[in-house]
């Protein structure tokens, strides 16, 4: 059934996934489908669901795997499906759909633009390290907010309360969890309040209807998504889209499979005991299938899809789910295509897969291969797990728990070197002993702009829950913490984020951490109800010191370029780790790093449960962070070469 890869490679340079071209006089339908398909048709419908097709049009082959049909007349407001005999679908590149995305919709996209859309501008960004990325799920953020008008919707992010919270916190980039049309939530039954993260793609190039005010009307979800982007841009906040090209919701019902069977997926050949060759779908995604980014038309699809979101929806960045499933060539081709639009658009992803892929790791977008993918970043699980503990055991703590639990000397060294590796931005640094770093034995970032610094995200436990699960002094028989336990929890929470936000990588945080968020200990809340995933906004009043610290920490980073040098050479020149006691990590940003107003900045992170005194370079210092409080105007002064760091907290001072 498949043509030669050479033919498709040539074709992919010419073919575009413009499956529907509308004019008032006629609409042209195009489809990439097998040459030997017996019958390829387009069906036209009056509605997005139900009813019979009022017209069926046979498509003609007009080139290698290219099929086309033109229907005269004005089809605005009509719906369509393609069918090659494998089941109806809206094609692979529908730009508008009916409810649940079963049928494509013919609309005038210019009619979806909110007022002033042509004047919408991308917020300025000089370097990725200037970003503060805030990862959120639409329902998590607004579903429990009492004064929200559009709870759980795109439009919630246009409301004054939402914009004010984000601006006051200081974040300048919102990473929205999957917001394309996904399969796990029935848009006809939204009153059921079924929840899902959305990592189950159906229509890659259409916003999810469940986050709109009317999923039945195709233009509404599109217009409201644009209104969201526009409002965030006006607030100086970039919008990063979580893209999941590595797998589909399933194979049999996927638009890929229904238009060109088996082309878009990787397969592996297994030789059974009877010497018969058994072909199976590769499952590097851990979701039952794995797309073939290395095939020309899948690569072309990904490139066009990314460009479409940027051009049509003004997206400012892309986070690639399981980037380790995609081949290096495709990721670099995407970076190149995006650069032609705007080089400031940020691209990062998970530098791993969820299982063995059909391609060898050497060819994939793994973290270790980041040096082969310039200006693409990956998450650092080194700094994450050094701080909180290993990903595969929630009961084990990391460096944050060393003041409570007793560890072997080798473990302590591993925590410390891994944390230093993350603080340096995953680059080569003469004071980081890579033999002691967890997961990576050689630096994988050429520049600090290629490392995402974080301690929590939507995956796994949020920070509060992980601290409770792994640190014995934060546990109780009934799950309720005493006042002293809450104070310790807050100290460790703030200490963890201080490491993240003073590192040289790109800082990333999970929404709600500034509210001391909990998911009631649920490790994988991808389909847990709102009662588990929602942000508890009352915590902002209950723990004001937490929000204030996050806000001031982000402001400290924003005001001082020493924390965001953006260059490996500058980091090696200005970042010096200081000799420190076992449970302390300390460093100095020296000699007006990044042309900072402050000559030398010293950061001391103390995980011990007692105050610790240590030696620092002699000087006359102003203290700007101490014992859970940050004030850039100063909290006091220190003269000499000895500093006392409060238990489980950070001390930051400058001269």
């Amino acid at each position: 059934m498949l043509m030669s890869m050479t033919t498709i490679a040539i074709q992919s340079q010419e073919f575009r996934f413009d499956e529907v071209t509308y004019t008032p006089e006629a609409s042209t339908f195009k489809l990439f489908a097998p040459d030997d398909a017996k019958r390829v048709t387009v069906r036209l419908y009056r509605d997005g669901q139900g009813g019979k097709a009022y017209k069926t049009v046979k498509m003609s082959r007009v080139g290698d795997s290219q099929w086309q049909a033109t229907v005269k007349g004005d089809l605005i407001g009509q719906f369509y499906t393609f069918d090659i005999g494998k089941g109806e679908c809206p094609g692979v590149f529908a730009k508008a759909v009916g409810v649940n995305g079963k049928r494509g919709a013919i609309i005038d996209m210019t009619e979806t633009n909110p007022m002033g859309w042509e004047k919408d501008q991308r917020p300025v960004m000089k370097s990725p390290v200037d970003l503060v990325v805030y990862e959120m799920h639409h329902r998590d953020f607004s579903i429990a907010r009492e004064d929200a008008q559009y709870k759980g919707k795109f439009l919630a992010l246009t409301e004054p309360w939402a914009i004010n919270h984000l601006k006051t916190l200081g974040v300048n980039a919102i990473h929205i969890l999957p917001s394309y049309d996904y399969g796990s939530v029935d848009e006809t039954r939204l009153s059921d309040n079924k929840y899902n993260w959305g990592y189950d793609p159906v229509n890659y190039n259409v916003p999810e209807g469940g986050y709109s005010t009317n999923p039945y009307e195709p233009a509404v979800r599109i217009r409201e998504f644009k209104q969201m982007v526009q409002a965030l841009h006006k607030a100086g906040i970039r919008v990063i889209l979580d893209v999941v090209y590595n797998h589909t919701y399933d194979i049999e019902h996927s638009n890929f499979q229904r238009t060109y069977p088996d082309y878009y997926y990787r397969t592996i050949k297994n030789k059974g005991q009877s010497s018969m060759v058994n072909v199976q779908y590769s499952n590097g995604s851990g979701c039952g299938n794995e797309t073939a980014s290395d095939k020309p038309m899948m690569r072309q699809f990904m490139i066009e899809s990314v460009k479409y979101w940027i051009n049509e929806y003004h997206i400012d960045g892309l986070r690639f789910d399981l980037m380790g499933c995609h081949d290096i060539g495709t990721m670099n081709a995407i970076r190149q295509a995006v650069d032609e639009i705007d080089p400031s658009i940020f691209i990062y992803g998970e530098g791993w897969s969820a299982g063995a892929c059909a391609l060898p790791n050497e060819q994939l977008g793994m973290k270790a291969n980041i040096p082969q993918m310039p200006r693409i970043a990956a998450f650092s699980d080194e700094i994450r797990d050094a701080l909180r503990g290993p990903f595969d055991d929630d009961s084990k703590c990391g460096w944050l728990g060393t003041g409570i639990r007793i560890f072997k000397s080798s473990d302590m060294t591993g925590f410390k070197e891994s944390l230093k590796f993350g603080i340096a931005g995953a680059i080569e640094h003469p004071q980081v002993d890579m033999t002691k770093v967890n997961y990576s034995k050689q630096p994988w970032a050429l520049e600090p702009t290629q490392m995402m610094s974080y301690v929590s995200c939507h995956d796994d436990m949020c920070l509060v829950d992980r601290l409770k699960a792994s640190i014995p002094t934060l546990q109780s028989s009934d799950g309720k913490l005493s006042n002293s336990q809450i104070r310790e929890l807050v100290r460790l929470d703030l200490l963890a984020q201080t490491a993240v936000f003073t590192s040289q990588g790109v800082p990333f945080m999970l929404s709600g951490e500034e509210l001391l968020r909990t998911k009631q200990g649920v490790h994988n809340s991808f389909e847990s109800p709102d009662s588990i995933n929602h942000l508890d906004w009352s915590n902002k009043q209950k723990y004001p010191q937490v929000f204030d610290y996050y806000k001031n920490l982000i402001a400290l980073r924003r005001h001082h370029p020493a924390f965001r040098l953006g260059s490996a050479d500058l980091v090696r020149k200005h970042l010096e780790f200081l000799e420190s006691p076992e449970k302390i990590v300390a460093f100095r940003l020296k000699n007006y790093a990044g042309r900072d107003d402050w000559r030398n900045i010293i950061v001391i992170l103390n995980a011990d449960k007692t105050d610790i005194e240590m030696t620092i370079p002699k000087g006359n210092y102003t203290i700007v962070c101490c014992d859970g409080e940050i004030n850039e105007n100063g909290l006091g002064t220190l003269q000499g070469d000895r500093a006392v760091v409060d238990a489980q907290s950070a001390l930051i001072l400058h001269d």
Side-chain angles (χ1 to χ4, degrees), residues 308-360:
Y308 179 69
W309 278 103
I310 292 169
N311 291 325
E312 184 66 36
Y313 291 95
H314 301 182
I315 289 297
D316 311 294
L318 301 150
R319 178 267 192 192
F320 280 79
D321 182 66
L322 296 181
M323 185 170 68
C325 289
H326 300 312
D327 66 291
I328 294 169
T330 293
M331 291 307 304
N332 285 334
I334 290 171
R335 178 72 267 179
Q336 181 180 353
V338 169
D339 282 347
E340 292 172 1
I341 301 172
D342 185 346
S344 79
I345 293 170
F346 187 42
I347 296 178
Y348 60 102
E350 294 179 300
W352 46 75
S353 62
C357 293
L359 293 182

Side-chain angles (χ1 to χ4, degrees), residues 414-560:
F415 293 147
K416 198 165 183 173
E417 292 303 311
S418 300
L419 184 49
K420 287 166 59 181
F421 177 70
I423 288 169
I427 64 166
E428 182 179 1
H429 190 284
Q431 291 180 284
V432 176
D433 183 352
M434 291 304 303
T435 66
K436 305 293 196 305
V437 173
N438 58 12
Y439 310 142
S440 298
K441 299 309 173 189
Q442 59 185 13
W444 49 262
L446 297 179
E447 300 290 349
T449 51
Q450 291 183 289
M451 188 203 91
M452 303 301 293
S453 180
Y454 76 123
V455 68
S456 63
C457 67
H458 70 275
D459 278 322
D460 303 337
M461 286 184 169
C462 57
L463 181 55
V464 162
D465 290 348
R466 181 58 186 256
L467 290 171
K468 288 181 180 179
S470 62
I471 295 180
T473 54
L474 297 180
Q475 295 167 2
S476 63
S477 58
D478 59 2
K480 296 180 180 180
L481 300 187
S482 66
N483 289 336
S484 63
Q485 286 177 308
I486 291 173
R487 286 193 293 271
E488 182 174 23
L489 175 69
V490 169
R491 286 199 303 271
L492 290 172
D493 184 287
L494 304 185
L495 178 60
Q497 298 291 10
T498 307
V500 168
F501 282 93
T502 59
S503 83
Q504 292 294 326
V506 180
F508 173 104
M509 65 174 288
L510 173 65
S511 70
E513 298 289 25
E514 75 278 15
L515 306 176
L516 215 63
R517 175 185 193 170
T518 177
K519 292 195 279 185
Q520 309 305 321
V522 176
H523 176 94
N524 185 11
S525 66
F526 78 102
E527 60 178 359
S528 297
D530 292 325
S531 59
I532 297 297
N533 282 300
H534 76 282
L535 300 194
D536 184 350
W537 287 96
S538 68
N539 277 6
K540 197 171 183 179
Q541 286 72 46
K542 194 180 297 183
Y543 308 110
Q545 75 277 27
V546 175
F547 181 82
D548 287 345
Y549 190 93
Y550 274 70
K551 175 188 69 175
N552 293 333
L553 179 61
I554 290 169
L556 178 70
R557 180 183 178 89
R558 183 174 67 251
H559 296 157
H560 293 280

Side-chain angles (χ1 to χ4, degrees), residues 52-204:
K52 294 182 178 180
Y54 71 84
K55 190 169 189 176
T56 300
V57 180
K58 185 177 180 181
M59 302 185 77
S60 301
R61 192 164 73 87
V62 295
D64 289 335
S65 294
Q66 297 183 46
W67 298 77
Q68 184 171 311
T70 298
V71 180
K72 293 182 179 180
D74 192 344
L75 298 182
I76 197 77
Q78 305 299 293
F79 297 84
Y80 67 89
T81 61
F82 294 103
D83 190 354
I84 72 163
K86 298 293 183 180
E88 293 181 70
C89 74
V92 301
F93 216 106
K95 297 176 180 177
V97 295
V99 68
N100 280 330
K102 301 297 184 183
R103 296 172 184 169
I106 301 170
I107 67 171
D108 183 349
M109 290 295 290
T110 62
E111 295 296 319
T112 67
N113 295 339
M115 187 178 298
W117 185 241
E118 70 283 354
K119 297 179 181 178
D120 180 63
Q121 292 188 336
R122 181 168 290 117
V124 175
M125 183 198 77
K126 293 181 179 179
S127 169
V129 291
D130 295 338
L131 293 173
V132 175
V133 181
Y134 184 88
E135 182 194 45
M136 71 157 65
H137 184 281
H138 295 288
R139 288 184 71 90
D140 293 8
F141 189 70
S142 59
I143 201 71
R145 178 81 185 199
E146 289 185 2
D147 55 343
Q149 182 179 354
Y150 299 103
K151 298 177 187 291
K153 305 297 183 183
F154 293 134
L155 289 180
L157 289 173
T158 70
E159 297 184 54
W161 68 266
I163 296 295
N164 290 340
H165 177 81
L166 297 170
K167 287 187 70 174
T168 303
L169 180 60
V171 297
N172 58 10
I174 301 300
H175 161 170
I176 48 176
L177 261 65
S179 298
Y180 50 68
D181 184 41
Y182 58 81
S184 53
V185 171
D186 186 346
E187 294 173 1
T188 68
R189 300 180 61 180
L190 295 180
S191 60
D192 291 349
N193 287 323
K194 186 178 179 184
Y195 180 100
N196 204 282
W197 284 342
Y199 290 92
D200 44 9
V202 175
N203 291 295
Y204 281 98

